[in-house]
C-alpha cells in the first residue's frame, strides 16, 4: 500500500475515532470519516492481546491486501481495529467481514447523497 493511502499521525487517528461513525462485529471495528482527498486512507490498530508480533504483522498484511483488492471504496479515512477474537479467522472469513462493512458504508453514502 502506498504511503498516500496510510494514516500515521495520532492527531488524525484520534479525530477519526472521536467522530464516532463506526461499523463493527465481534472481530473488527471499522471507524470512518470523510476526507478532503480523492482517495481513501487507512490505518490498522491491533493490540498485544491478539498475539505475538509475527501474528499481528500477518493480519495487518492480510488486511492491507483485502483493502487494496477491494474496488470502488468510498473516499473516507478508515481505521480498522482488530479484536482478539479475530485470531482464529481464515483469510476468506476476514475478507467477507471487511467487505460487508465496506458495502454498508457504500449503501449509507448512497442514501445520504439522495437526501
Amino acid at each position: 500500500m502506498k504511503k498516500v493511502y496510510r494514516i500515521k499521525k495520532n492527531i488524525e487517528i484520534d479525530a477519526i475515532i472521536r467522530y464516532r461513525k463506526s461499523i463493527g462485529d465481534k472481530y473488527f471495528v471499522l471507524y470512518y470519516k470523510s476526507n478532503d482527498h480523492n482517495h481513501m486512507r487507512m490505518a490498522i490498530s491491533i493490540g498485544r492481546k491478539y498475539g505475538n508480533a509475527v501474528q499481528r504483522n500477518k493480519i495487518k498484511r492480510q488486511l492491507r491486501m483485502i483493502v487494496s483488492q477491494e474496488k470502488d471504496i468510498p473516499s473516507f479515512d478508515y481505521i480498522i481495529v482488530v479484536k482478539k477474537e479475530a485470531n482464529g479467522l481464515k483469510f476468506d472469513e476476514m475478507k467477507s467481514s471487511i467487505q460487508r462493512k465496506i458495502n454498508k458504508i457504500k449503501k449509507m453514502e448512497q442514501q445520504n447523497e439522495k437526501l
Side-chain angles (χ1 to χ4, degrees):
M1 182 174 284
K2 294 183 181 180
K3 286 187 178 183
V4 295
Y5 299 120
R6 295 182 188 163
I7 302 171
K8 287 288 192 178
K9 295 182 181 177
N10 286 336
I11 295 170
E12 293 176 338
I13 292 171
D14 290 341
I16 295 166
I17 292 174
R18 272 187 269 133
Y19 191 65
R20 295 192 182 220
K21 289 233 178 187
S22 65
I23 296 175
D25 60 11
K26 66 180 184 177
Y27 304 116
F28 304 102
V29 177
L30 185 69
Y31 291 94
Y32 61 96
K33 181 182 177 188
S34 61
N35 64 21
D36 298 334
H37 305 283
N38 293 330
H39 54 82
M40 71 95 181
R41 298 187 314 156
M42 183 183 79
I44 299 172
S45 174
I46 184 167
R48 287 188 180 161
K49 290 182 180 180
Y50 182 83
N52 62 20
V54 174
Q55 293 171 322
R56 292 193 306 267
N57 288 331
K58 180 181 178 184
I59 194 165
K60 287 192 279 188
R61 283 193 312 272
Q62 290 174 338
L63 288 171
R64 281 190 215 107
M65 178 185 278
I66 290 168
V67 172
S68 66
Q69 289 176 349
E70 185 70 26
K71 294 176 175 61
D72 194 35
I73 296 178
S75 296
F76 288 116
D77 288 341
Y78 298 98
I79 298 176
I80 300 174
V81 179
V82 181
K83 297 182 180 180
K84 73 176 185 175
E85 289 83 10
N87 199 351
L89 280 181
K90 295 181 180 169
F91 182 78
D92 293 333
E93 296 169 336
M94 197 181 324
K95 187 173 183 175
S96 66
S97 178
I98 296 296
Q99 285 175 339
R100 278 194 306 268
K101 289 169 190 47
I102 291 172
N103 288 335
K104 280 185 183 179
I105 293 172
K106 286 180 190 177
K107 286 180 185 178
M108 291 189 321
E109 179 187 12
Q110 290 171 354
Q111 289 175 355
N112 289 340
E113 287 177 358
K114 290 179 183 178
L115 298 176

